[in-house]
Amino acid sequence: MKSARLKYISAMLIFGSVGLFVRYIPLPSAQIALGRGIIGCLVLLMTMILLRKKMSWERIRADMWILIFSGIAIGVNWIFLFQSYRYTTIANATICYYFAPVIVIFLSPFILKEKLTLVKAGCILAAVAGIWLITGFGGAGNGQTGQSQAGYTLWGDDLIGIMYGLGAAAFYATVIILNKFFRKVTDLERTVIQVGFAALSLLPYVLLTMPENTETITITGVILLLAMGIFHTGFAYYLYFSGLHALKGQTAALLSYIDPLTAILLSALILSERMGWLQILGGILILGGTMLNEVKGLSSNKEKHKYKVTKTSPHHE
């Protein structure tokens, strides 16, 4: 159990540093997402070979359409999330990204036929209030000056970044809902194929939108991109799934919030990004509300309709 907990925590810490890497890679978001997908898929395939895990094409065929659409959603989700990191603070982008579980809760009664309880309704209201505070409609701004540390006004790039973050959350929620309909594929099979389809879906878009005068990527950029593919995708997902299966649902749900907290702390310590007190309150409302819903849901029914946060299948980013 201790080993599983350590693996899971390590995965969350790695996922929490994605934003920092994206900030320092001098490439468009779509190209970063494509590179991450290709490298990550190759690493995951090598991991399966080393672990002597074989794919069952019979299981894969049974869920092929869900794998394709969820893979495309993951690819678009990555682009939106990386764009969000470009325009606003990592803290804002991360918190908006974690609005995804709220979208799932809202859509569950219509798509999954799950009951909307008072706790779930309260989670939705708390998260909406949190977004209201973070966007500045509640007068929060980015600190007392109303500007981000990067010098953006709230109604300029900062707001665009928040919208990209919410867009990433919408596609993340799509992946979570689609994952509810898998019937046969294993977690590792699903992750490898989803990451692969994410890369395939991004390739035509990258080729069609690639500017004539492309930026020259630096050696540092290459190293960071390789790290995102190897560590943030291949290695981190291996740790994630290795630890997940040995942990109780409640433990995994609570430990998953190490991811956003790590992202927020790193952005403050390394990039000197600060949040106003109203934004901090907004983050507490969003993360606290979704955490409460997960804990309540897992406590009342550990097996049925259990929600798992996965970065690629999900999971993270």
Side-chain angles (χ1 to χ4, degrees):
M1 180 63 74
K2 288 183 179 180
S3 175
R5 188 188 298 267
L6 180 60
K7 287 181 179 179
Y8 195 85
I9 291 174
S10 298
M12 293 301 107
L13 291 172
I14 294 172
F15 288 139
S17 65
V18 167
L20 292 177
F21 282 68
V22 172
R23 281 285 183 88
Y24 292 104
I25 298 176
L27 289 175
S29 297
Q31 293 181 26
I32 296 175
L34 175 62
R36 180 190 185 184
I38 294 174
I39 298 169
C41 183
L42 292 175
V43 172
L44 287 167
L45 284 172
M46 290 177 61
T47 300
M48 291 192 71
I49 293 172
L50 292 174
L51 295 176
R52 297 182 180 179
K53 301 284 186 179
K54 293 184 179 180
M55 284 191 179
S56 169
W57 296 111
E58 182 179 349
R59 289 196 299 264
I60 292 171
R61 280 196 301 268
D63 293 320
M64 181 59 72
W65 287 109
I66 305 176
L67 287 166
I68 292 173
F69 287 119
S70 59
I72 294 172
I74 287 171
V76 179
N77 157 60
W78 283 350
I79 293 177
F80 274 63
L81 180 61
F82 296 167
Q83 281 291 88
S84 183
Y85 291 143
R86 301 288 193 193
Y87 283 92
T88 189
T89 64
I90 290 176
N92 281 349
T94 302
I95 292 172
C96 290
Y97 186 62
Y98 268 77
F99 194 73
V102 181
I103 299 175
V104 175
I105 293 169
F106 178 77
L107 294 177
S108 290
F110 307 102
I111 299 176
L112 303 175
K113 308 302 179 183
E114 295 179 355
K115 184 179 179 181
L116 183 63
T117 64
L118 288 176
V119 173
K120 291 181 178 180
C123 172
I124 293 173
L125 292 175
V128 170
I131 289 294
W132 183 68
L133 291 172
I134 289 172
T135 56
F137 290 106
N142 265 333
Q144 296 179 354
T145 63
Q147 292 186 330
S148 71
Q149 294 302 307
Y152 303 131
T153 61
L154 182 64
W155 301 110
D157 288 359
D158 224 11
L159 185 60
I160 293 173
I162 289 171
M163 293 300 104
Y164 271 123
L166 292 175
F171 281 98
Y172 184 10
T174 300
V175 175
I176 294 171
I177 291 174
L178 287 174
N179 281 358
K180 297 282 189 176
F181 295 96
F182 282 117
R183 294 174 294 171
K184 295 185 177 181
V185 292
T186 64
D187 288 335
L188 189 54
E189 287 173 340
R190 184 176 71 220
T191 303
V192 172
I193 296 172
Q194 283 180 323
V195 172
F197 276 124
L200 285 175
S201 66
L202 289 170
L203 183 59
Y205 175 80
V206 170
L207 293 176
L208 289 172
T209 59
M210 185 177 295
E212 293 183 4
N213 298 321
T214 57
E215 296 182 65
T216 302
I217 186 170
T218 62
I219 295 178
T220 301
V222 171
I223 294 173
L224 292 176
L225 185 58
L226 287 172
M228 283 191 65
I230 296 172
F231 293 105
H232 290 90
T233 307
F235 183 60
Y237 285 129
Y238 166 71
L239 292 176
Y240 174 82
F241 285 118
S242 297
L244 182 64
H245 289 299
L247 294 176
K248 293 181 180 179
Q250 278 184 311
T251 302
L254 291 174
L255 291 178
S256 68
Y257 284 87
I258 293 174
D259 173 358
L261 293 176
T262 299
I264 293 169
L265 288 174
L266 288 177
S267 69
L269 293 173
I270 298 177
L271 301 178
S272 299
E273 295 179 347
R274 295 194 300 271
M275 299 175 68
W277 69 271
L278 285 178
Q279 285 181 300
I280 294 174
L281 177 59
I284 292 173
L285 286 173
I286 295 173
L287 298 180
T290 54
M291 182 185 295
L292 176 63
N293 175 72
E294 289 185 17
V295 172
K296 287 288 186 181
L298 290 166
S299 296
S300 61
N301 197 337
K302 293 183 178 180
E303 297 299 329
K304 188 177 180 181
H305 301 307
K306 184 167 61 176
Y307 167 73
K308 295 180 182 179
V309 176
T310 67
K311 294 309 187 170
T312 55
S313 42
H315 173 119
H316 174 121
E317 309 137 24

Short mmCIF file of all heavy atoms in Angstrom, two decimals, residues 211-242:
data_model
loop_
_atom_site.label_atom_id
_atom_site.label_comp_id
_atom_site.label_asym_id
_atom_site.label_seq_id
_atom_site.Cartn_x
_atom_site.Cartn_y
_atom_site.Cartn_z
N PRO A 211 2.86 27.59 -39.73
CA PRO A 211 3.26 28.79 -40.48
C PRO A 211 4.48 28.52 -41.34
O PRO A 211 5.27 27.60 -41.08
CB PRO A 211 3.57 29.80 -39.37
CG PRO A 211 3.94 28.97 -38.19
CD PRO A 211 3.09 27.73 -38.28
N GLU A 212 4.64 29.34 -42.39
CA GLU A 212 5.79 29.17 -43.29
C GLU A 212 7.11 29.42 -42.56
O GLU A 212 8.09 28.71 -42.74
CB GLU A 212 5.67 30.12 -44.48
CG GLU A 212 4.49 29.79 -45.40
CD GLU A 212 4.44 30.71 -46.60
OE1 GLU A 212 5.34 31.55 -46.75
OE2 GLU A 212 3.49 30.58 -47.39
N ASN A 213 7.11 30.46 -41.75
CA ASN A 213 8.31 30.78 -40.98
C ASN A 213 8.17 30.24 -39.56
O ASN A 213 7.69 30.92 -38.66
CB ASN A 213 8.53 32.31 -40.94
CG ASN A 213 8.75 32.88 -42.32
OD1 ASN A 213 9.40 32.28 -43.15
ND2 ASN A 213 8.17 34.04 -42.58
N THR A 214 8.50 28.98 -39.40
CA THR A 214 8.35 28.35 -38.09
C THR A 214 9.47 28.79 -37.16
O THR A 214 10.58 29.10 -37.58
CB THR A 214 8.39 26.82 -38.23
OG1 THR A 214 9.62 26.45 -38.87
CG2 THR A 214 7.22 26.33 -39.06
N GLU A 215 9.13 28.81 -35.87
CA GLU A 215 10.13 29.17 -34.88
C GLU A 215 11.17 28.07 -34.73
O GLU A 215 10.87 26.89 -34.87
CB GLU A 215 9.45 29.41 -33.52
CG GLU A 215 8.49 30.57 -33.50
CD GLU A 215 7.90 30.77 -32.11
OE1 GLU A 215 8.67 31.10 -31.19
OE2 GLU A 215 6.70 30.59 -31.95
N THR A 216 12.39 28.46 -34.50
CA THR A 216 13.47 27.49 -34.30
C THR A 216 13.47 27.07 -32.84
O THR A 216 13.67 27.88 -31.94
CB THR A 216 14.83 28.10 -34.66
OG1 THR A 216 14.79 28.55 -36.02
CG2 THR A 216 15.93 27.07 -34.49
N ILE A 217 13.25 25.80 -32.62
CA ILE A 217 13.20 25.32 -31.25
C ILE A 217 14.63 25.17 -30.72
O ILE A 217 15.53 24.72 -31.43
CB ILE A 217 12.44 23.97 -31.15
CG1 ILE A 217 12.27 23.56 -29.68
CG2 ILE A 217 13.14 22.89 -31.94
CD1 ILE A 217 11.34 22.40 -29.48
N THR A 218 14.84 25.56 -29.50
CA THR A 218 16.15 25.50 -28.88
C THR A 218 16.43 24.10 -28.33
O THR A 218 15.53 23.27 -28.24
CB THR A 218 16.24 26.52 -27.74
OG1 THR A 218 15.26 26.18 -26.74
CG2 THR A 218 15.97 27.93 -28.25
N ILE A 219 17.68 23.87 -27.97
CA ILE A 219 18.03 22.59 -27.36
C ILE A 219 17.25 22.40 -26.06
O ILE A 219 16.76 21.30 -25.76
CB ILE A 219 19.55 22.52 -27.08
CG1 ILE A 219 20.32 22.54 -28.40
CG2 ILE A 219 19.89 21.27 -26.27
CD1 ILE A 219 21.82 22.52 -28.24
N THR A 220 17.10 23.50 -25.31
CA THR A 220 16.32 23.43 -24.07
C THR A 220 14.88 23.05 -24.36
O THR A 220 14.27 22.23 -23.65
CB THR A 220 16.35 24.80 -23.34
OG1 THR A 220 17.69 25.15 -23.05
CG2 THR A 220 15.54 24.73 -22.06
N GLY A 221 14.33 23.62 -25.44
CA GLY A 221 12.95 23.29 -25.82
C GLY A 221 12.80 21.83 -26.18
O GLY A 221 11.81 21.18 -25.83
N VAL A 222 13.78 21.29 -26.90
CA VAL A 222 13.75 19.87 -27.28
C VAL A 222 13.77 18.99 -26.03
O VAL A 222 13.02 18.02 -25.92
CB VAL A 222 14.94 19.52 -28.20
CG1 VAL A 222 15.02 18.00 -28.41
CG2 VAL A 222 14.80 20.24 -29.53
N ILE A 223 14.65 19.34 -25.10
CA ILE A 223 14.76 18.56 -23.85
C ILE A 223 13.45 18.60 -23.08
O ILE A 223 12.98 17.57 -22.56
CB ILE A 223 15.92 19.09 -22.99
CG1 ILE A 223 17.25 18.84 -23.69
CG2 ILE A 223 15.92 18.43 -21.61
CD1 ILE A 223 18.45 19.49 -23.00
N LEU A 224 12.85 19.77 -22.99
CA LEU A 224 11.59 19.91 -22.26
C LEU A 224 10.46 19.14 -22.93
O LEU A 224 9.63 18.52 -22.27
CB LEU A 224 11.21 21.39 -22.13
CG LEU A 224 12.11 22.26 -21.25
CD1 LEU A 224 11.68 23.71 -21.30
CD2 LEU A 224 12.10 21.74 -19.81
N LEU A 225 10.42 19.17 -24.27
CA LEU A 225 9.40 18.42 -25.00
C LEU A 225 9.57 16.91 -24.81
O LEU A 225 8.59 16.18 -24.62
CB LEU A 225 9.44 18.78 -26.49
CG LEU A 225 8.35 18.16 -27.37
CD1 LEU A 225 6.97 18.56 -26.86
CD2 LEU A 225 8.53 18.61 -28.82
N LEU A 226 10.82 16.46 -24.87
CA LEU A 226 11.09 15.04 -24.60
C LEU A 226 10.66 14.66 -23.19
O LEU A 226 10.10 13.58 -22.95
CB LEU A 226 12.57 14.73 -24.81
CG LEU A 226 13.07 14.70 -26.25
CD1 LEU A 226 14.59 14.59 -26.29
CD2 LEU A 226 12.44 13.53 -27.01
N ALA A 227 10.93 15.56 -22.25
CA ALA A 227 10.55 15.30 -20.86
C ALA A 227 9.03 15.19 -20.72
O ALA A 227 8.52 14.33 -19.98
CB ALA A 227 11.08 16.41 -19.95
N MET A 228 8.30 16.05 -21.44
CA MET A 228 6.85 15.99 -21.37
C MET A 228 6.32 14.67 -21.90
O MET A 228 5.39 14.08 -21.36
CB MET A 228 6.23 17.14 -22.16
CG MET A 228 6.27 18.48 -21.46
SD MET A 228 5.25 19.71 -22.30
CE MET A 228 3.62 19.00 -22.09
N GLY A 229 6.93 14.19 -23.00
CA GLY A 229 6.48 12.92 -23.57
C GLY A 229 6.88 11.73 -22.73
O GLY A 229 6.07 10.82 -22.49
N ILE A 230 8.14 11.74 -22.25
CA ILE A 230 8.65 10.59 -21.50
C ILE A 230 8.13 10.56 -20.08
O ILE A 230 7.58 9.54 -19.62
CB ILE A 230 10.20 10.60 -21.50
CG1 ILE A 230 10.74 10.42 -22.93
CG2 ILE A 230 10.74 9.49 -20.60
CD1 ILE A 230 12.23 10.62 -23.06
N PHE A 231 8.29 11.68 -19.36
CA PHE A 231 7.96 11.69 -17.94
C PHE A 231 6.50 12.07 -17.65
O PHE A 231 5.83 11.40 -16.86
CB PHE A 231 8.90 12.62 -17.19
CG PHE A 231 10.33 12.16 -17.17
CD1 PHE A 231 11.29 12.76 -17.97
CD2 PHE A 231 10.72 11.10 -16.38
CE1 PHE A 231 12.61 12.33 -17.97
CE2 PHE A 231 12.03 10.64 -16.38
CZ PHE A 231 12.98 11.27 -17.18
N HIS A 232 6.01 13.13 -18.30
CA HIS A 232 4.66 13.60 -17.99
C HIS A 232 3.58 12.74 -18.63
O HIS A 232 2.40 12.83 -18.25
CB HIS A 232 4.47 15.05 -18.45
CG HIS A 232 5.24 16.04 -17.64
ND1 HIS A 232 6.53 16.41 -17.97
CD2 HIS A 232 4.93 16.71 -16.51
CE1 HIS A 232 6.97 17.28 -17.09
NE2 HIS A 232 6.04 17.48 -16.18
N THR A 233 3.95 11.92 -19.61
CA THR A 233 2.95 11.06 -20.25
C THR A 233 3.27 9.59 -19.97
O THR A 233 2.56 8.94 -19.21
CB THR A 233 2.90 11.32 -21.77
OG1 THR A 233 2.71 12.72 -22.00
CG2 THR A 233 1.73 10.58 -22.40
N GLY A 234 4.36 9.08 -20.55
CA GLY A 234 4.66 7.66 -20.39
C GLY A 234 4.91 7.24 -18.95
O GLY A 234 4.18 6.42 -18.39
N PHE A 235 5.93 7.82 -18.32
CA PHE A 235 6.31 7.42 -16.97
C PHE A 235 5.23 7.77 -15.94
O PHE A 235 4.89 6.95 -15.08
CB PHE A 235 7.63 8.09 -16.59
CG PHE A 235 8.17 7.70 -15.25
CD1 PHE A 235 8.48 6.38 -14.97
CD2 PHE A 235 8.37 8.65 -14.26
CE1 PHE A 235 8.98 6.00 -13.73
CE2 PHE A 235 8.86 8.29 -13.02
CZ PHE A 235 9.17 6.96 -12.75
N ALA A 236 4.67 8.98 -16.05
CA ALA A 236 3.68 9.42 -15.07
C ALA A 236 2.41 8.57 -15.14
O ALA A 236 1.83 8.22 -14.10
CB ALA A 236 3.32 10.89 -15.28
N TYR A 237 1.98 8.21 -16.36
CA TYR A 237 0.78 7.37 -16.48
C TYR A 237 1.02 5.96 -15.96
O TYR A 237 0.12 5.34 -15.41
CB TYR A 237 0.30 7.35 -17.92
CG TYR A 237 -0.39 8.62 -18.31
CD1 TYR A 237 -0.04 9.30 -19.46
CD2 TYR A 237 -1.39 9.15 -17.52
CE1 TYR A 237 -0.67 10.47 -19.82
CE2 TYR A 237 -2.02 10.32 -17.87
CZ TYR A 237 -1.66 10.98 -19.02
OH TYR A 237 -2.28 12.15 -19.37
N TYR A 238 2.25 5.48 -16.16
CA TYR A 238 2.58 4.16 -15.61
C TYR A 238 2.49 4.20 -14.09
O TYR A 238 1.88 3.32 -13.46
CB TYR A 238 3.99 3.74 -16.04
CG TYR A 238 4.52 2.58 -15.23
CD1 TYR A 238 3.99 1.31 -15.40
CD2 TYR A 238 5.52 2.78 -14.28
CE1 TYR A 238 4.46 0.24 -14.63
CE2 TYR A 238 5.99 1.72 -13.52
CZ TYR A 238 5.46 0.46 -13.70
OH TYR A 238 5.91 -0.59 -12.94
N LEU A 239 3.07 5.22 -13.47
CA LEU A 239 2.99 5.37 -12.02
C LEU A 239 1.54 5.53 -11.57
O LEU A 239 1.12 4.95 -10.55
CB LEU A 239 3.80 6.58 -11.56
CG LEU A 239 5.33 6.50 -11.70
CD1 LEU A 239 5.95 7.84 -11.30
CD2 LEU A 239 5.89 5.37 -10.84
N TYR A 240 0.80 6.31 -12.33
CA TYR A 240 -0.60 6.59 -11.98
C TYR A 240 -1.41 5.30 -11.90
O TYR A 240 -2.08 5.03 -10.91
CB TYR A 240 -1.19 7.55 -13.01
CG TYR A 240 -2.67 7.79 -12.82
CD1 TYR A 240 -3.14 8.70 -11.89
CD2 TYR A 240 -3.60 7.08 -13.57
CE1 TYR A 240 -4.50 8.91 -11.70
CE2 TYR A 240 -4.96 7.28 -13.39
CZ TYR A 240 -5.39 8.20 -12.46
OH TYR A 240 -6.74 8.38 -12.29
N PHE A 241 -1.37 4.50 -12.98
CA PHE A 241 -2.18 3.29 -13.02
C PHE A 241 -1.64 2.22 -12.08
O PHE A 241 -2.41 1.44 -11.51
CB PHE A 241 -2.28 2.76 -14.45
CG PHE A 241 -3.20 3.56 -15.32
CD1 PHE A 241 -2.73 4.21 -16.44
CD2 PHE A 241 -4.54 3.69 -15.01
CE1 PHE A 241 -3.57 4.97 -17.23
CE2 PHE A 241 -5.40 4.44 -15.79
CZ PHE A 241 -4.91 5.08 -16.91
N SER A 242 -0.31 2.18 -11.88
CA SER A 242 0.27 1.20 -10.96
C SER A 242 -0.20 1.46 -9.53
O SER A 242 -0.50 0.53 -8.78
CB SER A 242 1.80 1.27 -11.01
OG SER A 242 2.28 0.92 -12.28
#
